[in-house]
Amino acid sequence: MKKLLTILLLSIGLMSPSYADKEVAGEAIRCSALIYIQITRPEMAGMTAGEEIMNRIYAYHTIDGTDMEMTNGQIVAAQTEAITKLSQEYIKGADLAEEYRHCVYWMTDIAKFINISEYVSPENQTEEAEAEEMTLFLSAPTETSVTIFKNPIETWGQQVDLGFASWASQELKVPYKEAILSKVSEKFE
């Protein structure tokens, strides 16, 4: 019976227009990458749950019916690619402030929708629980509902700069490390 329910839920998901939405997946992994960069700042460590939310949104909107799961390695690879692209854009002078602001508000909307403070994903999920989780994350908002923002865009831009500065200052291998640090120093002069 459980297998039948799982198959039914997954087939309904296959017919749903929100299933395997590549655009949403792309925005989610870029958001995850922006958050990853920000959580290198000690004061932003509380956003790790947001990174996980966006990774799940990415995964569930990437699954296309031929594959019913995505590995952590696949998510990390996609996030690494997004970080590399964001770094290249940042070095070239792209203004990522609006994208970062959208990301934070979208992540907040999703966390409220899922009620992330009460949500617990069991370690060893049954197929039924996995299907329910997939349905929950696929039905989450696909963009922010906020249209009026509290802080000026310059504040968000400063947050992006501080995130890149912190991330590139780590001892870890960071793509384009010297170019990022050079760009940050230009902005803070």
Side-chain angles (χ1 to χ4, degrees):
M1 180 66 179
K2 284 184 182 181
K3 284 215 183 261
L4 180 60
L5 179 61
T6 301
I7 292 168
L8 180 62
L9 284 171
L10 293 175
S11 13
I12 291 169
L14 288 171
M15 292 181 269
S16 167
S18 66
Y19 196 85
D21 188 329
K22 301 295 182 191
E23 186 176 326
V24 171
E27 289 175 16
I29 202 64
R30 281 180 64 93
C31 183
S32 169
L34 283 167
I35 293 168
Y36 179 84
I37 291 166
Q38 289 295 320
I39 60 178
T40 61
R41 299 170 49 208
E43 65 273 20
M44 302 302 277
M47 289 182 70
T48 55
E51 178 194 11
E52 177 61 29
I53 288 172
M54 299 319 292
N55 285 345
R56 285 186 183 192
I57 295 292
Y58 165 75
Y60 289 132
H61 281 278
T62 300
I63 296 170
D64 65 3
T66 58
D67 234 347
M68 292 317 296
E69 63 182 43
M70 179 171 279
T71 66
N72 285 336
Q74 290 170 308
I75 295 169
V76 168
Q79 185 186 50
T80 301
E81 183 179 326
I83 289 169
T84 301
K85 286 180 183 174
L86 285 165
S87 296
Q88 291 168 339
E89 292 170 20
Y90 182 78
I91 292 163
K92 290 178 182 174
D95 186 357
L96 299 172
E98 285 187 29
E99 182 175 1
Y100 178 57
R101 177 179 67 185
H102 169 80
C103 166
V104 169
Y105 279 94
W106 180 29
M107 173 193 64
T108 303
D109 283 349
I110 294 168
K112 287 177 185 174
F113 175 83
I114 293 173
N115 195 2
I116 207 69
S117 63
E118 295 179 12
Y119 180 78
V120 178
S121 179
E123 284 295 313
N124 298 314
Q125 288 188 335
T126 63
E127 287 182 19
E128 182 178 330
E130 287 175 5
E132 287 173 9
E133 180 179 281
M134 181 181 218
T135 301
L136 176 65
F137 277 87
L138 284 172
S139 62
T142 56
E143 59 184 42
T144 182
S145 63
V146 179
T147 57
I148 299 173
F149 302 97
K150 294 178 185 176
N151 298 324
I153 197 66
E154 295 79 18
T155 302
W156 294 96
Q158 290 169 350
Q159 295 297 311
V160 170
D161 293 334
L162 291 170
F164 272 101
S166 176
W167 181 64
S169 296
Q170 297 181 92
E171 291 187 24
L172 302 171
K173 184 179 177 186
V174 173
Y176 309 108
K177 181 179 210 140
E178 296 306 319
I180 292 169
L181 291 173
S182 175
K183 189 63 169 183
V184 169
S185 67
E186 281 176 27
K187 289 186 169 208
F188 286 114
E189 285 180 353

